[in-house]
Amino acid sequence: MIRVAMHRWRRTIAVVSSLALCAWAQAGLMDKPVTLVVAFPAGGGVDVVGRILAQGMAQKLKLSVVVDNKAGASGAIGAQFVKRAAPDGHTLLMAPTTSYVMSEKMSGAESVGYEIAKDFRPVATVGELPLVMLVSKGSGITSYTELSAKARQQPGKLAYGSSGNGSTEHIVTEWFRQQASVDLLHVPYRGSAPAMADLFAGEIQIMVTTSPTALTNLATGRVAAVGVASPQRLAIFPELPTFAEQGLPQFVAASVYAVLAPKGTPDDVVATLNAALNETLDDEAVKRRFAQLGVEVVHSTPTQARDKLQQESTKWEQVVQRIRAATR
């Protein structure tokens, strides 16, 4: 009887402690603003999506959610800032996890200053942005067929831009180059904006970018799109064929976006933030804005977000290894 009583007492204490932790987490979360760090310049795809989510989260959580742009080093500066932040739910990272995984696998964890799967706790996967290949209007290229033919006629002459070595644009275009068996020249820039400016000017001929950025720049009439690296055509751009339709069935890639918290953030805080994000994604206005950007909404639990991050890590590590093997 004494043992049974002791066991029940311990269980009661455990339950009370758990409830106390929950109450502490909720109270701690509600007593000051949340900062959503966007580690890229204002106006880009990550920033636009982050601001939409921040506005929705603020309404769901009944507190201020502030977007803080800490751009630089292909997102590493912002990631390092959040990595060092207190694990209390007040500082979060708006993360293009595909880009972070690629940078880490290409440059090494010591170089970028983080291990994305170890230094952060996924709160939720929020969306996938299909990748679109743009070409300069001055190149005279209007389709993937013309691009591949011209690249074979002039090996190493067609140049593609990226926001730096190890960036999404770099890794995905190198993967494309292998899939299409063409020789392209890589021109790395200090960010995607100057690369896009040179694509406009015809200094480079090719650039891969996310669907929101692609749609924005297509509206200028200074670039054209030759394909989207998604399983299906974009609902917002149905006339653009997939690369699978054009003979590259394996060339499927998207930029996965997630919200991450520092490692050690309590379960209850993560659960609260996850619920706020999923409720935001269910909002009809948010769905419309994401659809206009070509962003595919993703709902997830923290566990599913963790699994998705691991899948991205495994996939792109293999691609990076193939790229390195081909350049030796």
Side-chain angles (χ1 to χ4, degrees):
M1 292 292 292
I2 294 175
R3 288 181 180 177
V4 172
M6 288 293 291
H7 178 68
R8 288 177 178 171
W9 179 79
R10 286 170 181 161
R11 288 184 60 187
T12 301
I13 292 297
V15 170
V16 171
S17 297
S18 177
L19 291 173
L21 174 60
C22 180
W24 172 85
Q26 296 284 357
L29 185 62
M30 300 299 292
D31 66 358
K32 61 181 180 180
V34 169
T35 297
L36 182 63
V37 174
V38 173
F40 298 87
V46 184
D47 180 69
V48 171
V49 172
R51 290 180 186 277
I52 294 171
L53 293 176
Q55 184 177 14
M57 288 177 68
Q59 294 172 354
K60 307 304 178 186
L61 295 170
K62 307 300 182 188
L63 53 81
S64 176
V65 180
V66 180
V67 173
D68 185 5
N69 294 90
K70 291 187 179 297
S74 298
I77 291 175
Q80 291 170 18
F81 177 84
V82 176
K83 170 187 170 180
R84 296 190 298 265
D88 57 9
H90 292 95
T91 307
L92 306 171
L93 180 65
M94 180 65 229
T97 52
T98 305
S99 175
Y100 279 124
V101 164
M102 289 176 176
S103 294
E104 179 187 334
K105 301 305 179 185
M106 194 71 178
S107 303
E110 289 187 5
S111 177
V112 298
Y114 60 80
E115 289 185 75
I116 199 72
K118 293 182 179 180
D119 293 328
F120 300 93
R121 182 164 185 190
V123 174
T125 304
V126 295
E128 294 190 8
L129 285 73
L131 297 170
V132 176
M133 182 170 287
L134 301 179
V135 292
S136 169
K137 277 293 184 71
S139 68
I141 297 168
T142 60
S143 67
Y144 163 66
T145 301
E146 291 178 0
L147 187 157
S148 59
K150 193 166 187 176
R152 290 189 177 93
Q153 292 167 2
Q154 305 174 28
K157 298 296 183 181
L158 292 183
Y160 75 88
S162 79
S163 56
N165 289 313
S167 65
T168 300
E169 302 97 333
H170 175 210
I171 301 301
V172 171
T173 311
E174 281 298 305
W175 190 32
F176 164 82
R177 189 178 66 78
Q178 290 187 0
Q179 296 282 317
S181 299
V182 294
D183 186 10
L184 304 174
L185 174 66
H186 177 214
V187 182
Y189 289 81
R190 290 176 178 266
S192 59
M196 189 63 68
D198 271 7
L199 186 70
F200 281 177
E203 295 295 327
I204 58 175
Q205 291 73 48
I206 305 164
M207 188 170 173
V208 168
T209 188
T210 59
S211 49
T213 303
L215 292 168
T216 298
N217 288 289
L218 283 167
T220 68
R222 300 172 72 178
V223 294
V226 298
V228 57
S230 58
Q232 297 86 30
R233 294 192 182 198
L234 297 176
I236 196 170
F237 196 0
E239 63 271 30
L240 179 64
T242 67
F243 282 103
E245 293 177 69
Q246 302 180 82
L248 295 180
Q250 301 302 314
F251 187 58
V252 177
S255 183
V256 178
Y257 281 15
V259 173
L260 308 180
K263 179 179 69 176
T265 302
D267 291 348
D268 292 52
V269 175
V270 171
T272 298
L273 294 168
N274 176 270
L277 283 164
N278 280 309
E279 288 178 26
T280 297
L281 294 171
D282 280 332
D283 186 278
E284 290 302 323
V286 171
K287 289 180 181 179
R288 285 195 298 271
R289 293 184 71 184
F290 273 27
Q292 291 166 356
L293 293 169
V295 179
E296 299 174 359
V297 171
V298 176
H299 290 84
S300 72
T301 64
T303 299
Q304 290 169 333
R306 181 200 64 201
D307 292 344
K308 182 64 175 177
L309 179 57
Q310 187 56 56
Q311 291 168 10
E312 284 289 285
S313 182
T314 300
K315 173 181 177 177
W316 293 111
E317 182 174 23
Q318 293 172 351
V319 171
V320 167
Q321 288 173 349
R322 288 199 293 271
I323 291 170
R324 284 177 171 160
T327 55
R328 286 172 186 165

